[in-house]
Amino acid sequence: MSKSLRFLTATLLLFTALVAGRQSAVVAKETGPDPGIAFQAILEVEQTARLLAILLDSGRAVVNEYQIPLDAPGNSHKDLTPDVFERELIDMFRSRSGIDLRNLNASHVPDLAKTLMKELAGVSRQVVVDAQPEINRTGGTREFLPAIFGDRVASRYTERTGVRLKQTTLVPRNPANAPDSTEQSALKLFADPGYPREKPISETTAKSGMLRLMFPLYTTRRCLDCHGEPKGALDRTGFPKEGLKLGQNAGAISVMIPVAK
């Protein structure tokens, strides 16, 4: 076990559940508590980060479900319109979080979460709007994959809000998604088959006043088309397959949000 992983593991603390009926995040602090940051503020930002990760992953899941019709040749209308995407994103996110994006004002979540989730839903829809030429191209499409969708959304969202979203994995195909040391430590924990499913890891760094949350991702049957077996064989995009199995950890979404004092 690496030194950084031993450090993170040794400092893991369990917080109380942030969403009723949901698993709490594992929280690691690099330094002692900052008396200038209220504990409640940390909890609210952590809840916000977790919901943003689930929302981004929900958008990825919608795109994932449309991979077969997207790749079908000879069909110039692939059904993944912006309206269809938005409707299915709302349904997917509600099933996973219990929150209705169409009625955020009635949701019992922090105001920060309401504002940032609304912005993320809007950015996600716009990415699908802009991708329509790719989606509806005759002859099928190779470019509009869940990871590509996630990268585009994360980049635009970070520019618009200052909240950093990032997809990362221990073996990234895109060098821009390579994990830093903290992300790498969390990814190694997620890779353990015994690690609780969908249990995030978060930390608050008093020096920077930032909260970082890592939310684990898992393979679906559609994911295995590109990331499954046989390991090393080229997938449809020309990358060697990783040999992953159904339900195996496939990386994480990293979220970084400033914590106001």
Side-chain angles (χ1 to χ4, degrees):
M1 188 179 290
S2 68
K3 180 179 179 181
S4 59
L5 182 56
R6 288 199 304 270
F7 172 76
L8 181 61
T9 304
T11 55
L12 290 178
L13 300 172
L14 290 178
F15 271 1
T16 55
L18 299 179
V19 180
R22 304 286 172 179
Q23 289 181 311
S24 62
V26 175
V27 181
K29 287 186 179 295
E30 291 180 340
T31 63
D34 184 343
I37 301 178
F39 183 70
Q40 184 61 33
I42 295 175
L43 289 178
E44 290 182 358
V45 173
E46 185 180 50
Q47 182 180 2
T48 298
R50 180 177 179 275
L51 290 172
L52 291 176
I54 293 173
L55 182 52
L56 178 60
D57 190 37
S58 295
R60 287 165 40 96
V62 173
V63 174
N64 191 43
E65 288 300 311
Y66 276 83
Q67 288 306 293
I68 290 179
L70 283 178
D71 289 329
N75 178 11
S76 62
H77 184 65
K78 303 300 175 63
D79 300 324
L80 186 59
T81 66
D83 288 343
V84 167
F85 170 81
E86 183 176 38
R87 182 172 64 250
E88 296 201 12
L89 175 65
I90 290 170
D91 290 344
M92 177 76 69
F93 183 68
R94 185 176 58 236
S95 70
R96 295 181 65 180
S97 69
I99 296 172
D100 189 346
L101 292 171
R102 293 169 297 191
N103 192 21
L104 280 175
N105 289 336
S107 301
H108 298 294
V109 296
D111 289 340
L112 176 66
K114 294 175 183 178
T115 299
L116 292 178
M117 283 192 295
K118 182 178 180 180
E119 185 71 23
L120 182 54
V123 170
S124 299
R125 188 184 195 280
Q126 188 59 48
V127 165
V128 175
V129 170
D130 295 342
Q132 287 301 297
E134 299 170 68
I135 291 172
N136 294 320
R137 188 177 64 199
T138 55
T141 180
R142 292 171 181 258
E143 291 85 0
F144 202 63
L145 304 168
I148 298 300
F149 164 83
D151 279 341
R152 293 178 185 178
V153 171
S155 176
R156 294 188 191 185
Y157 189 74
T158 299
E159 290 178 2
R160 291 172 67 101
T161 67
V163 172
R164 196 198 73 168
L165 296 181
K166 174 185 175 184
Q167 300 172 133
T168 187
T169 179
L170 289 172
V171 187
R173 293 185 173 190
N174 182 352
N177 293 335
D180 61 27
S181 60
T182 301
E183 291 166 342
Q184 189 174 61
S185 296
L187 288 167
K188 289 178 179 178
L189 288 177
F190 294 155
D192 183 343
Y195 188 85
R197 190 174 179 86
E198 290 199 353
K199 195 180 190 70
I201 292 174
S202 70
E203 66 170 17
T204 303
T205 308
K207 182 177 180 181
S208 66
M210 298 289 292
L211 180 137
R212 185 206 302 257
L213 181 136
M214 295 284 290
F215 186 86
L217 302 174
Y218 304 91
T219 57
T220 67
R221 294 189 186 281
R222 295 280 184 269
C223 297
L224 297 182
D225 292 341
C226 292
H227 301 282
E229 296 179 324
K231 184 176 181 179
L234 298 184
D235 69 8
R236 57 182 181 162
T237 67
F239 280 96
K241 295 185 175 183
E242 291 87 352
L244 298 179
K245 295 178 172 56
L246 183 64
Q248 185 175 347
N249 176 252
I253 293 173
S254 177
V255 186
M256 290 186 68
I257 307 180
V259 181
K261 293 187 178 182

PDB file of all heavy atoms in Angstrom, residues 2-4 37 43 59 75 82 105 138 151 161 193 196 211 238 245 252:
ATOM      1  N   SER A   2       0.584   2.184  -0.866  1.00  0.00           N
ATOM      2  CA  SER A   2       1.423   3.373  -0.979  1.00  0.00           C
ATOM      3  C   SER A   2       1.283   4.246   0.247  1.00  0.00           C
ATOM      4  O   SER A   2       0.324   4.149   1.007  1.00  0.00           O
ATOM      5  CB  SER A   2       1.019   4.167  -2.220  1.00  0.00           C
ATOM      6  OG  SER A   2      -0.255   4.694  -2.029  1.00  0.00           O
ATOM      7  N   LYS A   3       2.269   5.133   0.421  1.00  0.00           N
ATOM      8  CA  LYS A   3       2.251   6.049   1.575  1.00  0.00           C
ATOM      9  C   LYS A   3       1.011   6.922   1.558  1.00  0.00           C
ATOM     10  O   LYS A   3       0.356   7.121   2.584  1.00  0.00           O
ATOM     11  CB  LYS A   3       3.515   6.897   1.553  1.00  0.00           C
ATOM     12  CG  LYS A   3       3.597   7.877   2.710  1.00  0.00           C
ATOM     13  CD  LYS A   3       4.878   8.679   2.647  1.00  0.00           C
ATOM     14  CE  LYS A   3       4.949   9.684   3.802  1.00  0.00           C
ATOM     15  NZ  LYS A   3       6.198  10.480   3.733  1.00  0.00           N
ATOM     16  N   SER A   4       0.652   7.460   0.346  1.00  0.00           N
ATOM     17  CA  SER A   4      -0.531   8.336   0.275  1.00  0.00           C
ATOM     18  C   SER A   4      -1.800   7.580   0.587  1.00  0.00           C
ATOM     19  O   SER A   4      -2.714   8.109   1.221  1.00  0.00           O
ATOM     20  CB  SER A   4      -0.631   8.980  -1.116  1.00  0.00           C
ATOM     21  OG  SER A   4      -0.724   7.983  -2.114  1.00  0.00           O
ATOM     22  N   ILE A  37     -14.372  27.631   9.410  1.00  0.00           N
ATOM     23  CA  ILE A  37     -15.348  26.993   8.540  1.00  0.00           C
ATOM     24  C   ILE A  37     -16.352  26.231   9.404  1.00  0.00           C
ATOM     25  O   ILE A  37     -15.985  25.304  10.125  1.00  0.00           O
ATOM     26  CB  ILE A  37     -14.671  26.019   7.555  1.00  0.00           C
ATOM     27  CG1 ILE A  37     -13.650  26.758   6.687  1.00  0.00           C
ATOM     28  CG2 ILE A  37     -15.709  25.349   6.679  1.00  0.00           C
ATOM     29  CD1 ILE A  37     -12.906  25.865   5.719  1.00  0.00           C
ATOM     30  N   LEU A  43     -20.927  20.225   5.647  1.00  0.00           N
ATOM     31  CA  LEU A  43     -21.937  19.213   5.332  1.00  0.00           C
ATOM     32  C   LEU A  43     -22.757  19.601   4.112  1.00  0.00           C
ATOM     33  O   LEU A  43     -23.056  18.774   3.242  1.00  0.00           O
ATOM     34  CB  LEU A  43     -22.860  19.000   6.525  1.00  0.00           C
ATOM     35  CG  LEU A  43     -22.272  18.286   7.742  1.00  0.00           C
ATOM     36  CD1 LEU A  43     -23.306  18.214   8.854  1.00  0.00           C
ATOM     37  CD2 LEU A  43     -21.798  16.894   7.365  1.00  0.00           C
ATOM     38  N   GLY A  59     -26.518  11.839 -16.512  1.00  0.00           N
ATOM     39  CA  GLY A  59     -26.438  12.224 -17.913  1.00  0.00           C
ATOM     40  C   GLY A  59     -25.611  11.239 -18.722  1.00  0.00           C
ATOM     41  O   GLY A  59     -25.964  10.879 -19.852  1.00  0.00           O
ATOM     42  N   ASN A  75     -29.459   5.509 -40.491  1.00  0.00           N
ATOM     43  CA  ASN A  75     -30.568   6.163 -39.812  1.00  0.00           C
ATOM     44  C   ASN A  75     -30.115   7.555 -39.406  1.00  0.00           C
ATOM     45  O   ASN A  75     -29.261   7.716 -38.541  1.00  0.00           O
ATOM     46  CB  ASN A  75     -30.973   5.349 -38.571  1.00  0.00           C
ATOM     47  CG  ASN A  75     -32.105   6.007 -37.797  1.00  0.00           C
ATOM     48  OD1 ASN A  75     -32.723   6.953 -38.274  1.00  0.00           O
ATOM     49  ND2 ASN A  75     -32.378   5.499 -36.607  1.00  0.00           N
ATOM     50  N   PRO A  82     -32.587  16.793 -27.716  1.00  0.00           N
ATOM     51  CA  PRO A  82     -32.405  17.490 -26.438  1.00  0.00           C
ATOM     52  C   PRO A  82     -33.586  17.297 -25.486  1.00  0.00           C
ATOM     53  O   PRO A  82     -33.384  17.146 -24.278  1.00  0.00           O
ATOM     54  CB  PRO A  82     -32.249  18.949 -26.863  1.00  0.00           C
ATOM     55  CG  PRO A  82     -31.662  18.868 -28.228  1.00  0.00           C
ATOM     56  CD  PRO A  82     -32.313  17.679 -28.871  1.00  0.00           C
ATOM     57  N   ASN A 105     -37.300  23.921  -5.892  1.00  0.00           N
ATOM     58  CA  ASN A 105     -37.633  24.788  -4.762  1.00  0.00           C
ATOM     59  C   ASN A 105     -38.271  24.024  -3.617  1.00  0.00           C
ATOM     60  O   ASN A 105     -38.187  24.433  -2.455  1.00  0.00           O
ATOM     61  CB  ASN A 105     -38.553  25.927  -5.211  1.00  0.00           C
ATOM     62  CG  ASN A 105     -37.831  26.940  -6.070  1.00  0.00           C
ATOM     63  OD1 ASN A 105     -36.618  27.069  -5.998  1.00  0.00           O
ATOM     64  ND2 ASN A 105     -38.575  27.662  -6.891  1.00  0.00           N
ATOM     65  N   THR A 138     -25.632  10.198 -40.643  1.00  0.00           N
ATOM     66  CA  THR A 138     -25.852   8.880 -41.237  1.00  0.00           C
ATOM     67  C   THR A 138     -24.540   8.108 -41.223  1.00  0.00           C
ATOM     68  O   THR A 138     -23.457   8.668 -41.305  1.00  0.00           O
ATOM     69  CB  THR A 138     -26.346   9.005 -42.687  1.00  0.00           C
ATOM     70  OG1 THR A 138     -25.411   9.794 -43.428  1.00  0.00           O
ATOM     71  CG2 THR A 138     -27.710   9.647 -42.745  1.00  0.00           C
ATOM     72  N   ASP A 151     -16.884  14.686 -20.428  1.00  0.00           N
ATOM     73  CA  ASP A 151     -15.778  15.645 -20.557  1.00  0.00           C
ATOM     74  C   ASP A 151     -16.277  17.013 -21.013  1.00  0.00           C
ATOM     75  O   ASP A 151     -15.844  18.048 -20.503  1.00  0.00           O
ATOM     76  CB  ASP A 151     -14.741  15.127 -21.558  1.00  0.00           C
ATOM     77  CG  ASP A 151     -13.794  14.105 -20.948  1.00  0.00           C
ATOM     78  OD1 ASP A 151     -13.699  14.055 -19.709  1.00  0.00           O
ATOM     79  OD2 ASP A 151     -13.143  13.368 -21.714  1.00  0.00           O
ATOM     80  N   THR A 161     -19.024  28.023 -13.673  1.00  0.00           N
ATOM     81  CA  THR A 161     -19.326  28.101 -12.245  1.00  0.00           C
ATOM     82  C   THR A 161     -18.102  28.170 -11.344  1.00  0.00           C
ATOM     83  O   THR A 161     -18.217  28.581 -10.182  1.00  0.00           O
ATOM     84  CB  THR A 161     -20.165  26.887 -11.808  1.00  0.00           C
ATOM     85  OG1 THR A 161     -19.357  25.703 -11.923  1.00  0.00           O
ATOM     86  CG2 THR A 161     -21.425  26.740 -12.652  1.00  0.00           C
ATOM     87  N   PRO A 193     -12.795  -4.734  -4.322  1.00  0.00           N
ATOM     88  CA  PRO A 193     -14.139  -5.304  -4.483  1.00  0.00           C
ATOM     89  C   PRO A 193     -14.993  -5.212  -3.221  1.00  0.00           C
ATOM     90  O   PRO A 193     -16.224  -5.232  -3.302  1.00  0.00           O
ATOM     91  CB  PRO A 193     -13.862  -6.772  -4.853  1.00  0.00           C
ATOM     92  CG  PRO A 193     -12.488  -6.760  -5.431  1.00  0.00           C
ATOM     93  CD  PRO A 193     -11.746  -5.701  -4.671  1.00  0.00           C
ATOM     94  N   PRO A 196     -17.726  -0.385  -0.200  1.00  0.00           N
ATOM     95  CA  PRO A 196     -19.176  -0.197  -0.352  1.00  0.00           C
ATOM     96  C   PRO A 196     -19.532   0.527  -1.645  1.00  0.00           C
ATOM     97  O   PRO A 196     -18.955   1.557  -1.974  1.00  0.00           O
ATOM     98  CB  PRO A 196     -19.554   0.647   0.878  1.00  0.00           C
ATOM     99  CG  PRO A 196     -18.488   0.357   1.874  1.00  0.00           C
ATOM    100  CD  PRO A 196     -17.231   0.167   1.075  1.00  0.00           C
ATOM    101  N   LEU A 211     -13.473  21.779  -0.705  1.00  0.00           N
ATOM    102  CA  LEU A 211     -13.936  20.418  -0.452  1.00  0.00           C
ATOM    103  C   LEU A 211     -13.827  19.639  -1.753  1.00  0.00           C
ATOM    104  O   LEU A 211     -14.258  20.108  -2.801  1.00  0.00           O
ATOM    105  CB  LEU A 211     -15.371  20.393   0.047  1.00  0.00           C
ATOM    106  CG  LEU A 211     -15.934  18.991   0.326  1.00  0.00           C
ATOM    107  CD1 LEU A 211     -16.723  18.963   1.627  1.00  0.00           C
ATOM    108  CD2 LEU A 211     -16.801  18.474  -0.831  1.00  0.00           C
ATOM    109  N   GLY A 238     -10.698   2.330 -31.484  1.00  0.00           N
ATOM    110  CA  GLY A 238      -9.275   2.134 -31.708  1.00  0.00           C
ATOM    111  C   GLY A 238      -8.440   2.036 -30.448  1.00  0.00           C
ATOM    112  O   GLY A 238      -7.220   1.856 -30.517  1.00  0.00           O
ATOM    113  N   LYS A 245     -15.054  -6.061 -16.041  1.00  0.00           N
ATOM    114  CA  LYS A 245     -16.230  -6.929 -15.952  1.00  0.00           C
ATOM    115  C   LYS A 245     -17.433  -6.134 -15.478  1.00  0.00           C
ATOM    116  O   LYS A 245     -17.304  -5.045 -14.921  1.00  0.00           O
ATOM    117  CB  LYS A 245     -15.943  -8.095 -14.994  1.00  0.00           C
ATOM    118  CG  LYS A 245     -14.847  -9.022 -15.493  1.00  0.00           C
ATOM    119  CD  LYS A 245     -14.570 -10.132 -14.498  1.00  0.00           C
ATOM    120  CE  LYS A 245     -13.608 -11.165 -15.075  1.00  0.00           C
ATOM    121  NZ  LYS A 245     -12.336 -10.571 -15.543  1.00  0.00           N
ATOM    122  N   ALA A 252     -13.992   7.352 -11.354  1.00  0.00           N
ATOM    123  CA  ALA A 252     -14.745   8.206 -10.435  1.00  0.00           C
ATOM    124  C   ALA A 252     -14.980   9.567 -11.059  1.00  0.00           C
ATOM    125  O   ALA A 252     -14.321   9.962 -12.019  1.00  0.00           O
ATOM    126  CB  ALA A 252     -13.994   8.353  -9.120  1.00  0.00           C
TER     127      ALA A 252
END
